[in-house]
Amino acid sequence: MKFDNSLETYKQALDVIPMGTSTFSKNPNLFVIGGAPLFIKSANGCRLYDVDNNEFIDFSMALGPIILGYANEEVDKAAKAGIDDGLIFTLSCPEEAALAKKLTEIIPCSEMVRFCKNGSDVCEGAIRLARNYTGKLKVMTIGGYHGFHDWFIVSTPRKKGIPEVMAEWILPHNYNDIETIEKTIKERKDEIAALIMEPVINYEPNEGFLKRIRELTRENNIILIYDEMKTGFRLDIGGAQKYFNVIPDLAVFAKGLSNGFPLSVLTGKKYLMEQFEDENCFFSGSYATEKASLNAALKTIEILDRDRVIEHNWRIGSLLKNGIADIINKYNIGNFVKIVGFPVMSHFVITDYEGFTVNEIRSFIQEECAKRGVLFVGYHHTSFAHKEKDIEYTLKTYDEVFSIMINYINDKSLRNRINGKPISTFNIRKL
């Protein structure tokens, strides 16, 4: 399998785009340069076609938004109708209110809705509402990722260009560490405006974890915000809050809502959301109500409900996750390779082993899977387009690759078996 066009495109992109892409998680250095695709030409169903005309079964599904499958005919037709109508207008279109009404019917915490275009913006809006309502400034985070805006990213290593003083307002905590979370809330409740969290990250929540956080935030005048970018319309059509029956005050959604069309949602209790009726508590976006994405979301929700899509995704995801677990056991590699999470969003957890780094092991797996027509990214977002034959082929591929991998680890030759430039944490311009 050749990747000549990918490499040439990458060279051209590096001259005009930092890292070669505008999306961090699509950074070519997260893939084996020369041994995996770097640029995609088109997609259909659960398959990608790269610029070298190679075909791959995909499980990233565009980092999560594609829940029905790429190029879904019904969704695309609805979106194109919005384009034909003029796309975006001087005033709002009625589909904005129609979609908002639908969301209030299916999302437990939803009483009012505001739309935007990406997850970072709606997370920012939720924090603003919480701070304005409580009169407090500090924000607790529980692992996870909540966008690139200053208020959050200052608490991460990716904080260059942000005033360091802002870090004083963020209190990061680890997922499932309820003892430390409870201690912080009891000691600093008068300072904390909000607790924002992804209800599921990689691992499942411990028994009672989410319920206890709900109790603590309610008792201490702290606004609970669920970041449901990944879990929304995936665990359940009403999100993780409906699946676990633990209802936050505010929630943000995007991925899964409109099958890839750009649309994000900030929603929650009316007493919080109506603060935006005061123009001095501000949240707005010029492109928030373009009709193609609103139409796409309405059609996506219709299909999710009509065709029992989430049930399908759970079933097909269970076949995949259970099959991977069997392969891990078969080759006795569970001490450095694990499969975790819910079937609809399962993740590999890979650690250093026998002198080989995580990136080297991941690089070998990715390169060998690519040779067999499976794009390995380390996680699986099952979609309505994934069928049993796709799962069977993927499991066959993993079985072959893991069998070869353990042999090369045992004879200490794994590093030399990687043909391309291995996955790297940092961008290195030399190819």
Side-chain angles (χ1 to χ4, degrees):
M1 186 174 286
K2 295 184 177 180
F3 301 102
D4 295 344
N5 290 335
S6 267
L7 290 171
E8 182 59 32
T9 304
Y10 183 38
K11 291 176 183 177
Q12 295 172 8
L14 278 176
D15 287 337
V16 289
I17 306 173
M19 285 189 179
T21 178
S22 298
T23 303
F24 179 82
S25 296
K26 298 178 184 181
N27 176 3
N29 285 282
L30 300 176
F31 295 83
V32 182
I33 298 175
L38 305 180
F39 294 88
I40 302 301
K41 178 177 63 176
S42 64
N44 190 275
C46 65
R47 283 171 163 73
L48 300 175
Y49 303 89
D50 72 0
V51 292
D52 291 278
N53 295 316
N54 300 311
E55 178 181 336
F56 304 92
I57 297 174
D58 182 36
F59 286 97
S60 170
M61 306 310 285
L63 310 181
I66 307 298
I67 197 164
L68 300 177
Y70 292 106
N72 179 274
E73 186 175 349
E74 289 186 77
V75 174
D76 289 357
K77 182 179 178 181
K80 288 171 184 174
I83 295 172
D84 291 342
D85 286 342
L87 184 62
I88 192 164
F89 319 116
T90 303
L91 297 171
S92 296
C93 61
E95 286 77 9
E96 179 186 4
L99 179 57
K101 181 67 165 61
K102 187 65 179 177
L103 294 174
T104 64
E105 294 168 355
I106 62 178
I107 298 172
C109 79
S110 181
E111 294 177 356
M112 299 187 83
V113 177
R114 269 289 181 94
F115 295 106
C116 206
K117 281 300 171 197
N118 60 59
S120 297
D121 291 344
V122 288
C123 285
E124 168 94 3
I127 296 302
R128 191 166 298 172
L129 286 177
R131 284 173 165 163
N132 189 60
Y133 181 80
T134 64
K136 298 181 282 184
L137 288 178
K138 293 188 176 177
V139 176
M140 290 182 67
T141 58
I142 314 295
Y145 172 75
H146 306 296
F148 71 90
H149 288 311
D150 288 2
W151 74 268
F152 168 72
I153 215 72
V154 73
S155 66
T156 77
R158 299 167 182 157
K159 59 186 178 181
K160 289 186 176 180
I162 303 172
E164 186 63 31
V165 66
M166 295 184 71
E168 298 175 8
W169 299 334
I170 305 299
L171 306 173
H173 290 72
N174 294 326
Y175 190 76
N176 274 331
D177 184 3
I178 192 61
E179 291 81 9
T180 304
I181 293 167
E182 184 164 352
K183 182 175 184 291
T184 297
I185 288 176
K186 289 182 175 180
E187 291 178 353
R188 310 185 72 169
K189 61 184 180 181
D190 293 334
E191 304 172 72
I192 302 169
L195 185 154
I196 185 169
M197 64 181 297
E198 294 182 49
V200 177
I201 303 180
N202 289 341
Y203 295 89
E204 299 177 17
N206 291 339
E207 180 69 27
F209 176 66
L210 297 177
K211 288 185 178 179
R212 183 57 182 147
I213 287 178
R214 175 66 283 188
E215 292 168 355
L216 288 165
T217 51
R218 183 180 290 117
E219 291 167 1
N220 292 282
N221 187 32
I222 296 169
I223 304 303
L224 177 59
I225 304 166
Y226 273 3
D227 182 337
E228 296 232 43
M229 295 296 154
K230 296 178 183 177
T231 53
F233 307 97
R234 187 166 291 281
L235 288 184
D236 189 285
I237 198 167
Q241 58 188 272
K242 186 174 181 183
Y243 180 82
F244 293 109
N245 192 29
V246 179
I247 315 304
D249 303 302
L250 295 169
V252 292
F253 294 80
K255 298 179 180 183
L257 169 64
S258 50
N259 203 52
F261 285 86
L263 189 67
S264 59
V265 171
L266 165 56
T267 189
K269 300 302 182 182
K270 184 176 182 179
Y271 74 92
L272 292 168
M273 294 294 297
E274 64 185 1
Q275 293 177 96
F276 285 142
E277 294 178 359
D278 176 356
E279 66 180 40
N280 294 314
C281 184
F282 195 68
F283 179 76
S284 182
S286 296
Y287 297 97
T289 62
E290 53 87 4
K291 195 170 181 178
S293 295
L294 295 172
N295 279 2
L298 285 164
K299 182 56 69 173
T300 298
I301 292 171
E302 176 189 328
I303 297 171
L304 288 173
D305 185 47
R306 182 194 72 201
D307 294 345
R308 303 174 73 176
V309 169
I310 295 172
E311 181 180 319
H312 167 90
N313 292 351
W314 272 88
R315 181 180 65 82
I316 216 78
S318 295
L319 290 175
L320 180 62
K321 185 185 175 187
N322 293 338
I324 293 171
D326 289 342
I327 294 169
I328 290 172
N329 290 333
K330 177 179 178 180
Y331 295 108
N332 194 29
I333 56 175
N335 48 346
F336 69 101
V337 178
K338 293 180 174 61
I339 187 71
V340 302
F342 288 101
V344 289
M345 44 190 296
S346 64
H347 297 254
F348 278 105
V349 175
I350 301 173
T351 57
D352 295 350
Y353 184 68
E354 294 292 329
F356 298 107
T357 67
V358 172
N359 281 347
E360 288 170 337
I361 295 169
R362 286 174 60 91
S363 295
F364 178 83
I365 296 172
Q366 186 179 88
E367 190 170 84
E368 291 298 318
C369 284
K371 292 177 184 177
R372 294 161 174 81
V374 174
L375 183 61
F376 174 85
V377 291
Y379 57 86
H380 312 95
H381 295 140
T382 48
S383 76
F384 198 48
H386 288 102
K387 308 303 180 188
E388 287 189 21
K389 64 179 181 179
D390 303 308
I391 303 305
E392 291 170 359
Y393 184 83
T394 300
L395 291 173
K396 179 176 179 289
T397 295
Y398 284 156
D399 190 288
E400 292 177 1
V401 172
F402 289 173
S403 172
I404 301 169
M405 176 186 70
I406 194 61
N407 287 332
Y408 289 159
I409 286 177
N410 289 336
D411 70 16
K412 306 299 182 183
S413 69
L414 183 80
R415 189 173 294 112
N416 298 327
R417 303 288 183 169
I418 302 168
N419 296 314
K421 175 181 171 292
I423 293 168
S424 171
T425 304
F426 303 101
N427 184 50
I428 300 173
R429 294 177 65 90
K430 293 181 181 179
L431 299 182

